[in-house]
Amino acid sequence: MGVLDSAKAAFELAKKVGSIDLQKQLIEVQEKILELQQENSDLKEKIKKLEDLSELEKTIVADKNAYWKKTDEKKQEPYCTACFDSKKQLIRLHWYSSREGAKCPVCDAPVLFAEPRVHQQPFNLYDD
Ligand SMILES: [Zn+2]
């Protein structure tokens, strides 16, 4: 018998003996039990999410301003550090066509994996 069933059984006994005060108290007890059961369920859900997150964190590694799955040895699929660090969401970045960088489709964070190419040397007045 669960704790709520016990409280209901006690309520029925209180009805039989005709104690209104006891019935009121047992109704409060039942309400508290329901609150605690809901809180317990919420906490279990929160623990499960934290355990899942902890397991996920073991499978990724940070490098070059992105997260990568440890199994992705050739580094083909980068994930957004901003989204993961702030919202614990693993969002796959979209590569630029040049493959020099990528962009997060959710937060728009740009990530460059290579140094930007210098197309033109700046003109220096004081050389020569
Ligand atoms: Zn992002």
Side-chain angles (χ1 to χ4, degrees):
M1 188 186 278
V3 66
L4 190 58
D5 292 331
S6 298
K8 283 177 183 171
F11 177 79
E12 292 305 317
L13 286 174
K15 246 166 81 177
K16 274 187 192 166
V17 297
S19 171
I20 299 295
D21 287 343
L22 190 53
Q23 287 177 51
K24 283 181 184 169
Q25 282 296 305
L26 287 167
I27 286 171
E28 273 184 41
V29 167
Q30 288 178 53
E31 287 169 357
K32 292 270 191 284
I33 289 169
L34 290 172
E35 282 175 28
L36 289 172
Q37 284 178 338
Q38 183 60 51
E39 188 180 344
N40 191 34
S41 170
D42 293 347
L43 290 171
K44 280 180 179 173
E45 197 175 305
K46 205 177 260 185
I47 287 169
K48 174 84 172 84
K49 279 184 185 168
L50 289 171
E51 284 173 348
D52 288 351
L53 181 62
S54 173
E55 286 303 308
L56 179 62
E57 282 175 331
K58 288 178 196 166
T59 66
I60 58 174
V61 60
D63 188 30
K64 295 178 180 167
N65 299 321
Y67 284 120
W68 310 80
K69 290 196 172 157
K70 287 179 181 173
T71 52
D72 182 14
E73 288 169 10
K74 290 182 178 173
K75 293 200 161 59
Q76 298 292 308
E77 288 187 357
Y79 293 90
C80 181
T81 55
C83 284
F84 191 78
D85 292 348
S86 64
K87 294 175 278 180
K88 303 301 177 195
Q89 291 177 328
L90 203 55
I91 306 295
R92 194 178 321 166
L93 298 174
H94 292 180
W95 287 100
Y96 295 140
S97 55
S98 65
R99 304 280 288 183
E100 289 178 343
K103 190 175 183 180
C104 177
V106 173
C107 73
D108 265 358
V111 180
L112 285 179
F113 301 114
E115 291 296 316
R117 284 199 202 117
V118 178
H119 296 289
Q120 201 173 6
Q121 291 297 324
F123 182 70
N124 190 335
L125 286 173
Y126 304 104
D127 264 357
D128 300 327

